[in-house]
Amino acid sequence: MQQTNEEVLIGFITANPNSTKATISEGTELKGLVLFNLLKKLEKEKVVAVDGGGADATYSINENDGEEEPDIENEGSDEHEEEEEGGEEEEEANNEDEINTNEEDNTPAKDKKVTAKSSTRDNSKFKFNGEEYGKGPLVRAVVAKYVEENPGTTYKKLKEAFPDDLLKRFGIFQDEATAREISGKRDRYFLKEAQVIKLKDKKVAVSNQFTAANIQPFLKVVKALGFKIK
């Protein structure tokens, strides 16, 4: 009987503790989003323990993986994982037009002529810091402003301010190497040199995978941080 991707991954990490993503990918042939989502799932379920961050993070089997998880920890996780793995192509297709719009440079929208190509496309604009932005550029502008106002911000501190849970599958941002790994052949992050944000300890790239619905958690956090967006 053929093993599932999850079984292959667990088997490899069991036999090769303290492996990096690159080592795991080479040994299992699991790559990009498939590997990223599986590692996140196993980390959340505490099957896998992670040491470090970014491309240098290492993965080992958690010695306490047999302990029962609290109900609140896993509430709805199976449903979400099915959506992630089974609906990936559909989601990418639905967001294709929007992604193309959001992957622009950070020139304020007021200096551009915006034309709606489709009645189904969401061309929502937001005003922040005196400028007007689309969804993806807005998120990048806010994160960049936060870093500017908090000099010395580390990768860990920025994750605490904008945790991965705010944007399912991609996270609000990732370190540059991880962002390129997740993106694969498609730019799912702002990866141009001028768009990458420099922190105290590394460079990060902000995701551009935003819709009118999935940007809402980010907007709530931004409001709580004191930023004003209209």
Side-chain angles (χ1 to χ4, degrees):
M1 183 176 179
Q2 188 175 2
Q3 289 183 309
T4 65
N5 286 342
E6 184 172 323
E7 289 171 339
V8 170
L9 180 57
I10 292 174
F12 181 86
I13 297 176
T14 300
N16 302 275
N18 298 316
S19 293
T20 64
K21 284 182 183 177
T23 302
I24 295 170
S25 180
E26 182 178 353
T28 63
E29 297 186 352
L30 298 173
K31 300 177 182 180
L33 274 175
V34 173
L35 177 58
F36 181 80
N37 285 333
L38 280 174
L39 286 172
K40 281 291 184 182
K41 177 178 182 290
L42 294 177
E43 180 184 352
K44 182 177 181 180
E45 294 174 351
K46 297 186 179 179
V47 174
V48 167
V50 185
D51 184 19
D56 296 326
T58 58
Y59 298 82
S60 301
I61 296 298
N62 193 333
E63 295 180 358
N64 297 322
D65 64 321
E67 294 182 0
E68 184 178 354
E69 294 292 323
D71 291 341
I72 190 172
E73 184 73 18
N74 289 325
E75 184 176 357
S77 62
D78 291 339
E79 179 182 351
H80 293 325
E81 287 302 324
E82 290 175 3
E83 291 175 357
E84 289 180 7
E85 295 177 8
E88 180 178 347
E89 293 300 325
E90 180 179 353
E91 181 174 338
E92 287 179 353
N94 290 340
N95 289 340
E96 186 69 28
D97 287 341
E98 182 174 61
I99 291 169
N100 290 338
T101 300
N102 289 340
E103 285 179 341
E104 61 195 16
D105 59 24
N106 294 306
T107 304
K110 69 179 184 180
D111 296 330
K112 299 182 179 182
K113 184 176 181 180
V114 179
T115 303
K117 295 182 180 180
S118 169
S119 60
T120 60
R121 178 183 294 179
D122 178 22
N123 289 320
S124 299
K125 298 296 180 182
F126 300 86
K127 288 187 177 180
F128 171 66
N129 201 28
E131 305 291 353
E132 191 175 68
Y133 299 92
K135 293 178 287 298
L138 169 73
V139 175
R140 188 205 166 276
V142 171
V143 174
K145 187 65 175 177
Y146 178 89
V147 172
E148 178 186 332
E149 293 183 355
N150 296 273
T153 298
T154 63
Y155 184 81
K156 181 180 179 181
K157 289 294 184 182
L158 196 61
K159 281 291 185 186
E160 291 174 356
F162 303 103
D164 285 344
D165 288 348
L166 295 180
L167 181 61
K168 182 178 157 185
R169 297 175 63 205
F170 300 101
I172 296 299
F173 67 91
Q174 300 293 346
D175 66 87
E176 187 175 8
T178 299
R180 293 189 184 281
E181 178 186 349
I182 296 172
S183 290
K185 295 181 179 179
R186 297 190 181 199
D187 287 340
R188 292 181 168 95
Y189 296 82
F190 292 106
L191 288 165
K192 293 181 181 178
E193 185 176 352
Q195 297 170 333
V196 173
I197 299 172
K198 296 180 180 179
L199 304 181
K200 181 179 180 180
D201 52 351
K202 61 181 66 182
K203 296 179 180 179
V204 300
V206 175
S207 179
N208 54 36
Q209 301 292 291
F210 290 94
T211 66
N214 70 16
I215 197 175
Q216 296 306 315
F218 174 81
L219 295 177
K220 290 180 181 179
V221 167
V222 167
K223 183 178 179 180
L225 289 173
F227 290 108
K228 294 183 180 180
I229 296 175
K230 297 180 180 179

